[in-house]
Amino acid sequence: DGMLHVRHSVQAWRAFVEGCASTEIFVVAHSFGGASLVDCLAIASESTLGRIRGVAFTDSVHWLGQGCVQLTDGDLPEAARNVLKDCALHWQASEAPLDSEIDAFNE
């Protein structure tokens, strides 16, 4: 059940990431983990968002359009969108050479 995975991810984010003492946070989100991360970012505090330095999506199935947050009605808050714009890259399987831009993820 995908929603069970998302709920678990958000619960773990609240329990372990929100309260951690780390000054820098780096995240790797693979496949459906990318969609779950979007929900985590939607509930993340401003303090936590400010500590995120990098997000690596790998073959992720997330999207950032209208209705991208699965556990609540609504969209990703602007502060979370800005973190992704500034700190995230999405690597996808492709025949193109490594690190070729396939689509404009951060625009």
Side-chain angles (χ1 to χ4, degrees):
D1 176 2
M3 293 307 289
L4 179 63
H5 178 83
V6 174
R7 284 191 292 276
H8 174 75
S9 297
V10 167
Q11 181 182 14
W13 182 274
R14 285 184 171 135
F16 298 108
V17 179
E18 285 290 326
C20 77
S22 299
T23 58
E24 296 181 319
I25 298 170
F26 296 86
V27 181
V28 176
H30 177 71
S31 192
F32 194 73
S36 297
L37 178 63
V38 170
D39 275 74
C40 293
L41 295 176
I43 58 92
S45 66
E46 292 286 329
S47 170
T48 299
L49 290 173
R51 296 184 288 148
I52 296 174
R53 299 292 180 262
V55 176
F57 290 105
T58 59
D59 274 337
S60 175
V61 296
H62 72 284
W63 77 97
L64 300 177
Q66 186 174 5
C68 63
V69 178
Q70 300 172 77
L71 294 182
T72 61
D73 291 331
D75 298 327
L76 195 61
E78 185 175 348
R81 285 183 180 278
N82 288 338
V83 166
L84 292 178
K85 182 179 178 183
D86 296 340
C87 302
L89 290 175
H90 185 195
W91 285 274
Q92 296 174 288
S94 169
E95 297 297 320
L98 183 63
D99 289 334
S100 294
E101 186 171 29
I102 296 171
D103 58 54
F105 174 70
N106 289 349
E107 292 180 5

